[in-house]
């Protein structure tokens, strides 16, 4: 293969496409659409950040300003935490709109994380959500297909192809040159997008966090370049194997439909059939049943808890719980909390394993479907994928558990055993204990963690690229020029 | 002659494959609807069983105060799932088809969501409404984009023109044959859906059918309009596909962005905080204001009082719980108004966006729209209040637990009884009619070029 021939053909492709005024319009429109999505998603990212900061501060103030009271009251008063979005989330909204944003954390129970955007949507969200990532994944390939479908098939119809190949240009040079031209026009849209994204990212985070963002940004850009290349090669290859322009267009539109709409939806349904997940009511009921089996800490005759009481009494060599050196009901509640949390986490783990299985099925389809591959990479690196959410969920649950146990410990330490109800005005501890309990700090999954989550998708893009190049290099010779 | 045109059409292999694929996707989507309906029915059954079981379990400690028992016991209200919603699922799959609530603060209970893998939510369900709104137009474009240009480009055109026949009539018939074939596929799918999902043939179903017909008619009118310009096949394909992308992807998604930014719902966060403040803080405050306020809302409980010498009474406790709902009410109302506003704006925009209009109207007709959800939540609030008011006097008088027939409390159902709104057909009807009216003179003018 000769480089000059390839660059000549690439140049020719670019100028022939950009010659048409409609294509200039298309580039412009697509770019405006991307710029609109980026800025609108960025403003809503900032709004969300503002809301989260504002309400988190509110929650903290309210928490600290609670008067002296019984610690168990505080355990029930609980905490409200809000999910911060990853700084790059405005590039690819991913799952963000389908994930809850606020959780009420209290003792004894795990409340669900509520108020996802989808729960507040009237059904429009079903059509999808415009983000720069989605436009690059979904619409840019379609535009490339529009530009590319006639490149070879059209020349075959008009007889020019015979001339080109007859002049000593190799088939592979012709195809790669054409694909490269398409790719370069794609860059006309992609590079400004990347620049805007970069500038906006500069506004999002503190300097110590910036290396993380920069790596996410860099690998995302590289992946999209690979994807664009794959789509350009695919367009040219399909055009080369089609007898007529019309046939090439139909095939390419078919590919696009199959990759972006039909295949993902069908694999979603397959996932649901192969790995069915429980409904919320079944999930909650299973946990409740297990907790009931363990024993009821509120029931004085419960076998588990009476056995526990007897052994505690024996260890401390006393005859009644009132003589214990610590608050007995605080102790029982901390034991109960530990047991119920363990049960909850087991069930939660089970559910997550099911989701993981479902998601892995989708990840495997990425090998056949470059659209899913780039989607997974883009979501994961933008921090809007499922593992990122799971990370938040675990932090919130851990915070809840620590809060409940801290309050139980305070009760054991400071509350006398003769107190019968937490409503008793004498059973209070100082409010400085509330101030001492640290605020909720959310951390994000590290870049390396998020990147390694989508190994399979990276592999898929690499495979597609090599397969298409191999096809072009080894199989194109047998194509016909007429 | 029409026989010849039909023969020519049926013999084009590509077109028949297209219709076949459409039919198969339709069947898959109906199967998905069946899975959805089964899951809903299953969940509702489970909820009903869980409700019974927890009542029995809590009654084991029936020696306690009825106030303590009602702290735990939950009562269920289901949102009835019409069979038609199997064809247009909307957001029903992420909302709970039935909820169990205790008679304490409702705000903390009512916003729970169904457990659905978020990635699967993103990929979305493929119900029949999706097949109709997305895939049908594509096939219609595929069989219509070269209505005239095909003849021009293949050279048959001059032959036809030289015949002593009305050329426009030929194309009208050609398009009509295509229209009838697509309509037949659609009709077949609707009948299969009706039988397989046991959909009753009522006004809602008829409206659903009419909506899908008129949506198809709109696309054929649009083809008639675009081909009236007598452009080349390539240009037609480009115009039609761009329209499809704008209508099914870009416009709805942009509208969603705009609406979300225009009507943000910070109230979703305020309600969480306010309802929690509303009652938890009452533990530390004097009990009189809570009780006075409670009696203002419910004067029928004037005779009850909190005993002065005690720190705790169930009367005060339930009054305090109610304050949580009471104090977050303004936020709840504001949030509901914003959600309705979002819905209203997208419906208005839908008047000029056939895809949006059809999706929202199909959701409305099958009771899987935002209004259904808001109505259900309203019903849940009323149900909660009804249950509370029934039990309040018993709690306040400390009625013995065994005087109540607890088994009588089984799952209740909310049925969305909105009128079927036939006006929903108008926007698309008007649009199709105008397209045909505009296109007809152009056909006459351009045809003889």
């Amino acid at each position: 293969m000769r480089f000059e021939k390839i660059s000549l053909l690439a140049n020719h492709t670019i100028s022939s496409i950009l010659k048409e005024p409609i294509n200039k319009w298309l580039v412009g429109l697509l770019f405006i659409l991307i710029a609109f999505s980026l800025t609108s998603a960025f403003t809503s990212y900032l709004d969300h950040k503002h809301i989260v900061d504002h309400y988190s501060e509110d929650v903290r103030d309210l928490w600290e300003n609670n008067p002296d009271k019984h610690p168990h009251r505080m355990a029930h008063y609980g905490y409200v935490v809000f999910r911060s979005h990853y700084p790059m989330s405005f590039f690819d909204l991913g799952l963000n709109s389908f994930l809850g944003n606020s959780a009420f954390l209290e003792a004894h129970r795990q409340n669900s994380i509520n108020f996802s955007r989808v729960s507040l949507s009237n059904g429009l969200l079903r059509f999808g959500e415009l983000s720069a990532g989605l436009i690059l994944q979904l619409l840019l390939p379609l535009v490339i297909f529009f530009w590319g479908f006639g490149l070879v098939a059209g020349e075959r119809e008009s007889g020019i192809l015979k001339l080109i190949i007859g002049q000593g240009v190799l088939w592979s040079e012709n195809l790669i040159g054409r694909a490269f031209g398409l790719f370069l026009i794609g860059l006309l849209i992609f590079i400004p997008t990347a620049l805007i994204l970069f500038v906006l990212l500069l506004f999002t985070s503190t300097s110590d966090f910036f290396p993380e963002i920069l790596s996410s940004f860099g690998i995302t850009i590289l992946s999209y370049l690979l994807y664009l290349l794959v789509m350009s090669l695919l367009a040219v290859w399909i055009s080369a194997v089609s007898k007529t322009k019309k046939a090439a267009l139909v095939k390419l539109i078919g590919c696009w439909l199959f990759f972006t709409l039909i295949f993902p939806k069908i694999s979603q349904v397959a996932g649901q059939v192969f790995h069915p997940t429980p409904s919320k009511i079944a999930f909650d009921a299973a946990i409740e049943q297990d907790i009931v089996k363990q024993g009821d800490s509120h029931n004085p005759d419960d076998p588990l808890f009476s056995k526990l009481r007897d052994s505690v009494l024996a260890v401390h060599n006393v005859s009644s719980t009132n003589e214990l050196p610590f608050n007995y009901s605080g102790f029982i509640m901390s034991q109960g909390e530990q047991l119920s949390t363990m049960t909850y986490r087991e069930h939660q783990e089970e559910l997550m394993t099911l989701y993981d299985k479902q998601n892995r099925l989708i990840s495997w389809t990425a090998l056949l479907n470059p659209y899913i591959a780039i989607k997974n990479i883009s979501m994961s690196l933008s921090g809007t994928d499922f593992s990122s959410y799971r990370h938040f969920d675990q932090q919130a649950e851990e915070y809840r558990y620590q809060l409940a146990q801290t309050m139980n410990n305070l009760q054991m330490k400071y509350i006398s055993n003769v107190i019968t109800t937490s409503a008793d005005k004498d059973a209070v501890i100082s409010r400085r204990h509330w101030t001492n309990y640290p605020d909720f700090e959310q951390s994000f999954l590290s870049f390396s963690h998020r990147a390694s989550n989508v190994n399979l998708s990276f592999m898929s893009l690499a495979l597609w690229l090599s397969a298409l190049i191999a096809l072009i290099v080894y199989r194109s010779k047998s194509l016909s020029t007429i | 002659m029409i026989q010849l045109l039909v023969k020519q059409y049926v013999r084009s292999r590509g077109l028949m494959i297209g219709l076949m694929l459409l039919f198969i996707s339709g069947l898959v989507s109906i199967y998905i609807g069946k899975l959805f309906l089964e899951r809903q029915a299953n969940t509702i059954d489970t909820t009903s069983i869980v409700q019974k079981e927890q009542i029995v379990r809590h009654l084991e400690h029936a020696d306690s105060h009825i106030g303590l028992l009602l702290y735990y016991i939950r009562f269920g209200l289901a949102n009835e799932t019409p069979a038609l919603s199997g064809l247009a699922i909307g957001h029903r799959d992420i909302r709970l088809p039935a909820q169990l609530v205790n008679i304490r603060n409702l705000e903390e209970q009512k916003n729970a969501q169904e457990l659905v893998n978020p990635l699967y939510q993103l990929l979305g369900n493929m119900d029949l409404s999706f097949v109709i709104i997305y895939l049908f137009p594509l096939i219609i474009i595929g069989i219509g984009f070269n209505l005239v240009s095909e003849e021009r480009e293949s050279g048959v055109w001059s032959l036809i023109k030289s015949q002593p026949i009305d050329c426009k009539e030929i194309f009208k018939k050609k398009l009509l044959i295509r229209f009838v074939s697509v309509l037949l596929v659609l009709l077949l799918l609707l009948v299969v859906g009706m039988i397989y999902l046991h959909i009753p043939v009522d006004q809602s179903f008829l409206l659903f059918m009419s909506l899908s017909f008129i949506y198809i008619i709109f696309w054929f009118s649009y083809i008639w309009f675009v081909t009236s310009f007598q452009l080349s096949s390539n240009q037609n394909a480009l115009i039609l596909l761009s329209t499809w992308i704008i209508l099914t992807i870009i416009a709805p998604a942009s509208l969603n962005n705009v609406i979300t930014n225009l009507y943000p719902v910070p109230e979703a966060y305020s309600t969480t905080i306010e309802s929690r403040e509303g009652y938890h803080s009452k533990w530390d405050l004097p009990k009189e204001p809570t009780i006075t306020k409670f009696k203002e809302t419910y004067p029928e409980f004037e005779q009850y009082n909190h005993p002065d010498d005690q720190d705790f009474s169930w009367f005060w406790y339930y009054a305090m719980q109610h304050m949580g709902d009471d104090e977050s009410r303004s936020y709840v109302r504001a949030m509901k108004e914003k959600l309705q506003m979002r819905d209203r704006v997208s419906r208005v925009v839908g008047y000029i966006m056939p895809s949006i209009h059809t999706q929202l109207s199909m959701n409305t007709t099958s009771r899987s729209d935002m209004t259904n959800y808001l109505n259900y939540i309203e019903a849940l609030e009323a149900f909660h209040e009804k249950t509370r008011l029934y039990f309040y006097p018993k709690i306040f008088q400390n009625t013995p637990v065994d005087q109540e027939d607890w088994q009588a409390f089984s799952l209740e159902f909310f049925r969305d009884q909105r009128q079927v709104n036939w006006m929903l057909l108008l926007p698309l009807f008007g649009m199709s009619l105008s397209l045909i009216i505009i296109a007809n003179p152009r056909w006459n003018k351009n045809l003889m070029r």
Side-chain angles (χ1 to χ4, degrees):
Chain A
M1 265 190 279
R2 290 155 298 178
F3 182 71
E4 29 335 337
K5 296 273 182 238
I6 291 178
S7 81
L8 194 74
L9 281 157
N11 273 329
H12 174 253
T13 309
I14 296 172
S15 58
S16 72
I17 290 174
L18 290 185
K19 196 177 62 194
E20 302 273 343
I22 187 164
N23 290 340
K24 280 185 205 144
W25 277 100
L26 218 51
V27 171
L29 276 178
L30 209 55
F31 180 67
I32 289 172
L33 204 58
I34 292 177
F36 164 73
S37 324
L38 267 181
T39 43
S40 106
F42 185 67
T43 15
S44 64
Y45 163 76
L46 289 184
D47 282 349
H48 181 78
K49 191 172 154 63
H50 178 74
I51 285 178
V52 167
D53 290 349
H54 171 77
Y55 284 110
S56 303
E57 219 169 279
D58 265 11
V59 168
R60 185 66 194 174
D61 284 349
L62 288 168
W63 168 264
E64 289 186 1
N65 286 327
N66 266 284
D68 298 354
K69 61 167 89 171
H70 192 289
H72 193 59
R73 288 268 69 79
M74 280 309 264
H76 271 293
Y77 174 73
Y79 221 86
V80 184
V81 298
F82 303 97
R83 186 168 66 92
S84 299
H85 295 169
Y86 192 72
M88 212 169 99
S89 62
F90 65 91
F91 170 68
D92 188 333
L93 301 173
L95 303 180
N96 244 0
S97 300
F98 301 93
L99 304 172
N101 285 310
S102 76
F104 173 45
L105 311 174
E106 60 177 324
H108 308 320
R109 49 177 294 172
Q110 284 79 0
N111 296 310
S112 61
I113 303 181
N114 290 337
F115 294 120
S116 62
R117 275 197 194 165
V118 68
S119 70
L120 306 173
S121 151
N122 67 338
L124 277 184
L125 212 55
R126 275 275 180 262
F127 284 99
E129 215 174 358
L130 218 51
S131 68
L134 190 73
I135 296 171
L136 294 174
Q137 292 157 22
L138 193 68
L139 298 184
L140 189 55
L142 192 62
V143 173
I144 286 183
F145 288 174
F146 267 138
W147 288 330
F149 78 92
L151 281 182
V152 187
E155 291 183 340
R156 180 181 284 128
E157 274 178 29
S158 61
I160 298 174
L161 184 63
K162 209 173 167 189
L163 286 175
I164 295 177
I165 301 294
Q167 276 175 349
V169 175
L170 294 176
W171 260 106
S172 53
E173 287 168 350
N174 185 24
L175 298 190
I176 288 189
R178 302 271 173 214
F180 210 62
L182 274 183
F183 173 72
L184 289 176
I185 301 186
L187 290 191
L188 273 184
I189 297 165
F190 183 68
I191 289 178
T193 307
L195 286 177
I196 298 182
L197 174 62
F198 185 75
V199 172
L200 290 178
L201 282 176
L202 291 178
F203 290 105
T204 57
S205 68
T206 48
S207 53
D208 52 329
F209 196 58
F210 203 65
E212 277 279 313
I213 304 280
L214 206 61
S215 327
S216 306
F217 171 77
I219 300 297
T220 305
I221 297 299
L222 280 180
S223 312
Y224 272 98
L225 288 177
L226 266 180
Y227 179 64
L228 267 186
L229 208 50
V230 167
M231 288 299 151
S232 310
L233 288 165
L234 185 67
V236 172
W237 178 252
I238 298 275
S239 179
V241 296
S242 303
K243 273 258 166 298
T244 61
K245 271 165 81 172
K246 198 181 140 192
L249 181 65
V250 169
K251 278 183 211 164
L252 281 169
I253 299 280
C255 275
W256 181 82
L257 253 187
F258 182 70
F259 284 153
T260 60
L261 284 178
I262 312 273
F263 195 20
K265 282 189 190 278
I266 299 283
S267 28
Q268 188 253 64
V269 176
Q272 283 191 47
V273 173
F274 291 136
H275 307 293
T277 52
S279 62
K280 182 166 172 54
I281 184 79
F283 178 76
D284 290 348
I287 294 178
E288 207 176 338
Q289 218 161 39
D290 275 5
I291 290 178
V292 168
K293 254 188 254 155
Q294 279 166 1
D296 178 3
S297 58
H298 289 99
N299 177 8
D301 305 322
D302 183 85
L304 177 89
F305 286 94
S306 52
K307 214 166 119 196
L308 189 67
R309 182 187 56 213
D310 294 343
S311 66
V312 170
L313 291 180
V315 166
H316 287 87
N317 209 8
V318 289
S319 57
S320 99
T321 53
N322 280 356
E323 297 163 43
L324 284 169
F326 52 81
N327 181 287
Y328 180 67
S329 75
F331 169 74
I332 285 297
M333 277 193 294
S334 101
Q335 295 295 311
E337 185 70 57
Q338 196 185 349
L339 280 175
S340 66
T341 299
M342 233 162 61
T343 310
Y344 170 80
R345 288 186 184 175
E346 269 166 29
H347 282 270
Q348 181 75 2
E349 209 42 58
E350 239 170 72
L351 180 69
M352 290 306 135
T353 315
L354 277 178
Y355 284 172
D356 277 342
K357 278 185 187 160
Q358 289 191 335
N359 293 349
R360 209 164 317 131
L361 190 134
I362 304 290
S363 298
W364 277 106
T365 66
L367 287 178
L368 300 172
N369 186 348
Y371 169 74
I372 287 292
I374 190 69
K375 205 177 185 61
N376 277 339
I377 294 174
S378 178
M379 275 196 302
S380 186
L381 295 181
S382 307
T384 53
D385 65 330
F386 190 59
S387 343
S388 297
Y389 176 69
R390 184 84 181 101
H391 188 58
F392 166 75
D393 186 41
Q394 282 166 342
Q395 291 174 63
E397 163 55 19
E398 186 55 31
Y399 187 79
R400 185 202 70 79
Y401 181 67
Q402 292 307 334
L403 187 138
Q405 292 301 43
T406 308
M407 293 304 135
N408 286 333
N409 287 337
L410 287 172
Q411 180 171 350
M412 282 169 69
K413 205 162 154 192
Y414 295 109
I415 302 294
S416 137
N417 267 319
V418 292
I419 300 294
T420 50
T421 153
S422 58
D424 192 326
K425 285 200 181 62
D426 302 323
V428 296
I429 63 171
S430 156
R431 50 177 288 208
R432 77 182 155 79
H433 292 289
W434 322 149
T435 332
N436 284 344
Y437 190 70
D439 198 1
F440 176 70
E441 296 271 354
Q442 184 187 340
S443 74
F444 295 110
L445 273 185
S446 73
F447 161 73
S448 53
H449 193 125
R450 282 178 293 128
S452 66
N453 270 344
V454 284
N455 275 338
L456 217 54
S457 300
F458 287 128
M459 214 159 82
S460 154
L461 287 185
L463 276 176
W464 271 86
L465 186 65
S466 3
L468 282 168
I469 290 179
L471 264 182
I472 287 173
V473 173
Y474 296 109
R475 297 299 300 277
S476 60
K477 282 169 231 132
S478 55
L479 291 174
S480 123
T481 52
I482 44 169
Chain B
M1 187 176 72
I2 196 137
Q3 284 169 340
L4 285 174
L5 287 172
V6 172
K7 219 177 238 173
Q8 182 201 17
Y9 176 59
V10 175
R11 277 191 188 152
S12 45
R13 206 164 48 102
L15 302 181
M16 290 302 122
I17 291 177
L19 288 182
M20 208 52 214
L21 283 178
L22 203 55
F23 186 62
I24 294 170
S25 337
L27 290 183
V28 173
S29 76
I30 292 171
Y31 173 67
I32 291 171
K34 182 84 174 171
L35 288 181
F36 161 77
L37 287 178
E38 276 169 3
R39 194 179 153 94
Q40 294 270 307
N42 227 321
T43 308
I44 290 179
D45 282 350
T46 314
T47 312
S48 160
I49 294 168
V50 169
Q51 178 176 357
K52 290 271 171 214
E53 281 177 355
Q54 50 100 28
I55 289 180
V56 171
R57 194 172 63 238
H58 289 303
L59 280 174
E60 283 170 12
H61 310 295
D63 47 342
S64 52
H65 192 286
I66 187 170
L68 182 62
L69 189 67
L70 285 164
Y71 177 97
Y72 294 107
I73 287 189
R74 289 171 297 160
F75 305 91
L77 181 71
N79 184 3
E80 203 179 60
T81 319
L84 189 58
S85 65
L87 299 185
I89 297 173
H91 282 323
R92 261 185 188 263
D93 53 347
I94 60 145
R95 303 207 151 117
L96 289 171
Q99 291 211 49
L100 292 179
V101 291
N102 57 43
I103 62 166
R104 286 178 281 146
N105 176 323
L106 181 64
E107 253 340 282
E108 280 175 9
Q109 307 179 59
K110 74 177 189 197
N111 293 309
Q113 275 185 46
E114 184 54 281
L115 292 172
V116 187
N117 184 344
L119 180 64
Y120 280 37
Q121 292 182 42
L122 174 70
L123 299 177
N125 267 317
M126 188 170 93
D127 52 13
L128 189 63
S129 75
F130 172 86
V131 173
I132 291 171
I133 290 166
Y134 279 79
L135 304 186
F136 267 78
L138 272 180
I139 297 294
I140 295 173
I141 291 172
I143 61 181
F145 80 101
N146 54 2
L147 188 64
V148 190
S149 44
E150 185 189 28
E151 321 272 347
R152 275 190 198 277
E153 283 154 22
S154 64
V156 185
W157 181 242
S158 41
L159 264 176
I160 301 178
K161 224 160 53 170
S162 63
Q163 302 292 315
I165 42 172
D166 185 350
C167 298
K168 191 177 137 203
E169 279 309 304
I170 296 185
F171 294 116
K172 222 182 227 171
K173 281 187 182 128
K174 248 181 104 175
L175 195 63
L176 214 60
I177 293 167
R178 282 153 175 70
F179 171 66
V180 170
S181 70
V182 172
L183 209 58
L184 278 178
V185 173
L186 178 62
L187 194 66
L188 202 58
L189 284 173
L190 286 168
V191 170
V192 170
M194 183 193 88
I195 296 169
Y196 189 52
L197 304 184
H198 307 291
I199 300 170
V201 184
D202 53 6
Q203 284 215 39
S204 300
F205 182 66
L206 291 177
L207 179 57
F208 190 95
M209 267 176 113
S210 316
L211 278 167
S212 50
F213 288 167
I214 196 101
Y215 183 69
I216 302 301
I217 291 174
F218 160 78
W219 275 99
F220 273 101
S221 319
Y222 187 62
I223 299 252
W224 185 246
F225 171 75
V226 171
T227 46
S228 75
F229 290 93
Q230 311 282 325
L231 304 168
S232 72
S233 297
N234 277 343
Q235 283 167 313
N236 281 343
L238 193 69
I239 292 171
L240 290 168
L241 283 174
S242 314
T243 312
W244 180 82
I245 290 167
I246 290 172
L247 283 185
T248 58
I249 299 173
I250 297 178
S254 318
L255 178 64
N256 186 47
N257 278 23
V258 170
I259 286 180
T260 319
N261 282 351
L262 216 57
Y263 303 104
V265 193
E267 286 84 359
Y269 306 105
S270 327
T271 46
T272 315
I273 298 178
E274 283 306 316
S275 76
R276 158 175 166 266
E277 269 329 291
Y279 68 94
H280 278 291
S281 58
K282 299 292 181 290
W283 286 95
D284 312 310
L285 299 173
K287 297 192 166 49
E288 286 76 33
T290 304
I291 287 168
T292 318
K293 207 155 163 230
F294 181 75
K295 285 181 178 172
E296 270 168 29
T297 323
Y298 299 118
E300 60 264 46
F301 301 122
E302 191 51 57
Q303 79 250 44
Y304 301 103
N305 256 316
H306 175 72
D308 289 330
D309 55 335
Q310 277 174 34
D311 293 323
F312 181 89
S313 75
W314 286 109
F315 175 59
W316 166 78
Y317 181 80
Y318 281 102
M320 171 277 271
Q321 283 287 336
H322 180 62
M323 288 305 114
D325 285 343
D326 213 41
E327 287 176 21
S328 54
R329 185 146 297 155
S330 63
Y331 294 97
V332 174
R333 195 175 306 127
M335 180 164 128
K336 192 176 158 189
E337 273 162 16
K338 277 195 184 162
L339 295 186
Q340 281 169 337
M341 202 59 202
R342 283 179 171 192
D343 198 34
R344 216 168 303 139
V345 172
S346 29
R347 276 175 200 279
V348 170
V349 175
Y351 291 151
I352 51 163
M353 291 286 166
S355 53
I356 297 178
H357 176 75
T358 308
Q359 181 71 75
L360 293 179
S361 305
M362 282 180 168
N363 289 353
T364 301
T365 313
S366 37
R367 308 275 179 266
S368 46
D369 58 346
M370 177 64 109
T371 313
N372 171 269
Y373 172 68
L374 293 176
N375 287 349
Y376 169 66
I377 289 295
E378 213 161 79
L380 187 68
E381 283 162 359
F383 170 75
H384 186 254
E385 181 165 45
K386 182 191 85 182
T387 317
R388 274 188 293 127
L389 291 180
Y390 174 76
F391 282 116
Y392 277 164
K394 301 184 189 245
I395 298 170
F396 303 159
Q397 291 165 7
N398 192 7
T399 311
V401 168
D402 50 16
Q403 278 187 19
E404 189 65 50
D405 178 16
W406 296 98
Q407 300 311 320
F409 294 95
S410 52
L411 191 65
E412 292 185 22
F413 281 85
F414 160 71
R415 178 176 288 177
D416 195 346
Q417 274 162 330
R418 270 177 287 161
Q419 285 284 316
V420 172
N421 183 4
W422 286 92
M423 290 300 173
L424 291 174
L425 291 172
L426 277 184
L428 280 180
F429 181 74
M431 231 184 273
S432 312
L433 201 64
S434 345
L435 282 171
I436 294 173
I437 290 174
I438 299 171
N440 268 340
R442 213 184 294 274
W443 263 99
N444 298 331
K445 202 176 78 195
N446 289 346
L447 199 58
M448 284 308 147
R449 264 201 333 228

